[in-house]
Amino acid sequence: MSTDTSTDRTDRTDEPAWLLVTRREVVSRITDKSFLIGTALMVVMIVGFLGFTAWQDEKTDDVTLGATPDAVAMATAVKDGASAVDDKVRVAVVELDDDAAARAALREDDVDAWLHPAEDGDGWQLTSESSEQDSLTDVTEAVVRQQVLARNAADAGTSVDALEAGSSVTTSFLRGDAERAAVAEVVGFAFVFLFYFAALIFGMQLASSVIEEKQSRIVEIIAAAIPLRHLLAGKVLGNTALAVIQLLVYLVVGLVGMSFTSYKSYLPALSGPTAWFIGFFLAGFVALACLWAVAGSLASRTEDLQATSTPLTMLMLVMFFGGLSLDGRAQVIASFVPPVSAVVMPKRILAGGVEWWEPLVALGLLAAFAAVTVWVGEKLYRRALLQTGGRVSLRQAWSAAE
């Protein structure tokens, strides 16, 4: 009876039932204050992070280096050579009368550090009041090393270049470009985090809405009006659309903000990987969204969701930490294994060195996984949704009558 009624009512509508459900999901969420506030807060966080990065890029670290008479010449060399080592560090030299004056200057914060010969007579020592002066230490080490090498080379009748000949070490990757590695690591983390964040937040909300409809018995009224597969399709597509819209907002804000940092030269190289990430995100999210709907249909109360969603939560944690920690051969293999490939392959594309066919194969496998997940999930969803009286196991849902 319900099948005939739902068919008649669906035929009388101007558009498919799944489209009505999709529209309801999108409109109800996009006008929800918590959704808008959450999105705005994330945008503020992204802008704040990029703004801080841009500020750090432009920031000059002004440091004051104290020197007793036996170290004035070396301190002056540090001052003159600082910009060659780090153009963000500017050193000012303060001449001090003796060791006692240097210690007093440190205690009064008149100088950031005091340069003097080491007590054992071997090398130089940089003394600070109570904390390491990282930028000054790096500059001082580099300049002092260069000065001492030049002096020792002159004493030996040779040159620094001759002494250092053949000692340079460069890095390269069998796969990818070493120059892009740091940027790829940061952007790759952003990709993994955005996928995990969207799948978890929207997934939990999707599952909760399924439970609410089931617990209030509203779903029985909906089932009499439209096929349950249309209800599932509308929920999955609606949440997918919202997740993609939110993702695009974050990506646009991130890429525009990045243009104001020192990493703006990498923007052209990020356009391709970003497009691939959107494709992998779409396929991976559809698969997980369907599983979240199943988790909601297996529960009869909100309290049951933790139990029914535990396997899915564990899977997402594996994806998150796998996307962050895998490297080498393990990363290559994982980039073809759904659903982990949704976060691993875009990260590999970012690093470079990926053959043209690899993303296509990985995306095809992920799409096939999503299709199987949707097929299996649709059956479990329909068979578990109308069962009340307690939590439904996967075996009970699969063996239940249509």
Side-chain angles (χ1 to χ4, degrees), residues 320-337:
F320 180 75
F321 289 109
L324 295 181
S325 60
L326 290 177
D327 56 11
R329 184 174 296 275
Q331 186 186 59
V332 174
I333 294 173
S335 66
F336 293 98
V337 179

Side-chain angles (χ1 to χ4, degrees), residues 17 30 32 57 84 140 159-160 180 189 203 210 221 248 253 261 272 283 294-295 313 336 358 379:
I30 209 167
D32 181 58
D57 290 339
T140 302
S159 66
V160 174
R180 294 170 53 187
F189 171 81
V210 172
I221 301 174
L248 291 175
V253 171
T261 70
V294 171
T313 304
F336 293 98
E358 293 185 70
K379 292 185 178 297

Side-chain angles (χ1 to χ4, degrees), residues 7 26 34 78 103 234 256 287 364:
T7 303
V26 172
S34 60
V78 171
R103 293 188 178 91
V256 171

Side-chain angles (χ1 to χ4, degrees), residues 334-354:
S335 66
F336 293 98
V337 179
V340 182
S341 57
V343 293
V344 177
M345 181 56 81
K347 193 174 178 182
R348 283 190 60 212
I349 296 172
L350 273 171
V354 177

Side-chain angles (χ1 to χ4, degrees), residues 2 75 156 176 228 282 313 318 333 359:
S2 61
L228 290 180
L282 187 60
T313 304
V318 169
I333 294 173

